[in-house]
Structure formats: C-alpha cells, structure tokens
Amino acid sequence: MEFAIYGLLVAAGFLAGIINTIAGGGSFLTLPALMAFGLDPKMANGTNRVAVLFSSSAAVATFHRHGHLDRKLANRLTWPTMLGVPVGALSAVYLPPDAFEPVFGLIFLGMAIVLAKNPKRLAQSMKPTKNTASWIRPAFFLIGVYVGFIQAGMGILVLLAMSWTTGGDLVGSNAVKNWIAFLVTLTATVVFTIYGLVQWAPGLSMAAGNLIGGVVGAKLAIKKGNRMIFWFLIVVMIATGTKLIVSAFL
C-alpha cells in the first residue's frame, strides 16, 4: 500500500513538472497529492518546494542547452523576486493551516479573471513601454512574496508580468521563468526546512517525477513553441478557476 502511494506521488510529480515548465499551476496536482499522503496544508506547502526545485532545475538546464535562456534578463528579474520570498515564506509559516484554502481561492480567482480578460496578450511578442518597464521591480517583488507564500501558479504570474513589463516570446519567457523558479524555490525551501515544514521522503519521491517532467516539459515547449504554451496556459487557468469556485462554496 505504501509503495503504491509513493508511486502516485511520483506520477503526480511527473505531470506537475510538465505543467510547471510549460505554464504553471502544477502545484494544484502536487499539493492535494501530498495532503492525501497525510500532510497538513502547511507541511504540504513546504514539502512541495522540494519537488518544484527539481523540475525547475531540469527545465533550466534543458532551455539553456538549447540556447533559449537570456541570463541577463533572468538575473534582472530574479533579484527583486528574491527579496519578496522570505516575506511570503514567513507569512506562510505563521498563518494557521485552516487559513490557507480561502486565501488560495481569493488569489487564484483574481488570476483567472485577469487572464480571461485578455488571453491573447500572452501569445504575442511585445515591446514594453517606458511606463510598464518602471513596474518591473515592484511587480516581481510582489511575485516573490506570493511565491514564498504558496508557489502554486507562480509560472502563470511570471509569464503575465513578463508579457506586461518586458515583452518577448513565450519560449524565451518560459526559460527565464524557470530560472527564477529555481532560485526563489531554493530560498523558500531553506526557510521551510529551518522551521521543520519539509517531509523529505514524500518530497523526494515527488521530486523524482518532477525532474523527468521538467525535462519533458522544456522539450515540448521548445518543439511546439508559443502556440502550445498559450493553449496550455488557458487549460491550466480554466482548471484553476473551476477548483477555486468549488473550494469557495464547499
């Protein structure tokens, strides 16, 4: 029985690794899987970071090997994000477990509305204006706070912010997104580990699936390009919105 449960964690990690690499929202698979394993929401939130760390590292290596990672842009966006991570992670540590579900619901309902209002924006290569470029630091700082708090849906937020502030194609943006995800997840994992909110056995089991999923997802993104990434985002957001509505009324 225990072997089967660990197998399910690996499978959930694999699917989440693909979803996180191409779009974001894979944690909507891994968080429930970890809670089904017996972890409370706080422990699941911390343990989930181990799996994301593996998928993002595998994705970054794949994007870099194929020449799609803009290191200069990645570093420019990473540092304001990193500043926000400890703020969010410490908030997650001190909030009671039963506060998580309604908070997640409100956050993701807002995200679903933003994307639904103008979905085609993500599929276009755009040049940022001087006004939007000035929002880069505060926007990515707030993303860092959010990522430190939960992680789920980070990729969608980063792609939205990049389309608004920096422009560029979705394949290149995905490479940068995964670079940011790796570094901020590493920071958050350290915080959660210090506070004893990481269970390593289920986390590493899920990470094995995430690692493979990260490579597969990166190769799919490179091969299929912007159109596939765009539709993947739409599907993820529809699924996210449905989950939020159900959670809000049950």
Side-chain angles (χ1 to χ4, degrees):
M1 182 66 178
E2 188 171 324
F3 179 79
I5 293 174
Y6 278 105
L8 289 174
L9 290 178
V10 173
F14 174 73
L15 292 174
I18 295 174
I19 293 170
N20 281 335
T21 302
I22 296 175
S27 292
F28 284 112
L29 289 175
T30 54
L31 284 171
L34 288 166
M35 285 187 276
F37 184 81
L39 305 184
D40 67 47
K42 270 193 176 184
M43 190 67 74
N45 189 25
T47 303
N48 186 51
R49 310 308 173 106
V50 178
V52 176
L53 193 62
F54 276 72
S55 65
S56 57
S57 62
V60 167
T62 304
F63 280 119
H64 179 67
R65 189 164 59 249
H66 288 84
H68 289 283
L69 178 62
D70 183 342
R71 290 288 294 273
K72 184 177 181 181
L73 177 61
N75 290 331
R76 181 186 175 201
L77 301 180
T78 297
W79 75 261
T81 313
M82 292 282 284
L83 290 176
V85 173
V87 178
L90 288 173
S91 298
V93 166
Y94 288 108
L95 272 175
D98 59 4
F100 274 60
E101 284 193 9
V103 171
F104 293 174
L106 288 173
I107 290 171
F108 280 96
L109 182 59
M111 285 175 56
I113 292 170
V114 169
L115 185 55
K117 285 179 67 176
N118 190 11
K120 291 185 178 179
R121 179 180 178 84
L122 286 171
Q124 299 169 348
S125 294
M126 297 164 294
K127 292 183 179 180
T129 65
K130 184 177 180 181
N131 185 49
T132 58
S134 67
W135 284 92
I136 290 175
R137 291 183 182 87
F140 280 84
F141 173 80
L142 291 175
I143 289 173
V145 174
Y146 172 81
V147 174
F149 183 72
I150 174 174
Q151 184 88 39
M154 171 207 167
I156 298 167
L157 274 178
V158 171
L159 290 176
L160 281 169
M162 289 185 69
S163 72
W164 176 47
T165 59
T166 66
D169 72 281
L170 279 174
V171 175
S173 295
N174 250 295
V176 172
K177 176 203 77 180
N178 281 281
W179 172 261
I180 295 172
F182 172 72
L183 292 176
V184 300
T185 303
L186 179 61
T187 304
T189 302
V190 170
V191 174
F192 283 110
T193 300
I194 290 172
Y195 283 88
L197 293 175
V198 173
Q199 288 283 340
W200 290 100
L204 289 173
S205 297
M206 189 168 279
N210 271 59
L211 182 65
I212 301 169
V215 174
V216 172
K219 289 184 175 180
L220 281 172
I222 292 167
K223 183 177 181 180
K224 300 295 183 179
N226 290 351
R227 184 175 177 82
M228 190 272 289
I229 297 169
F230 168 70
W231 285 112
F232 215 103
L233 277 167
I234 296 299
V235 170
V236 169
M237 289 308 295
I238 291 172
T240 301
T242 302
K243 178 177 173 62
L244 294 173
I245 292 170
V246 171
S247 297
F249 291 99
L250 289 182

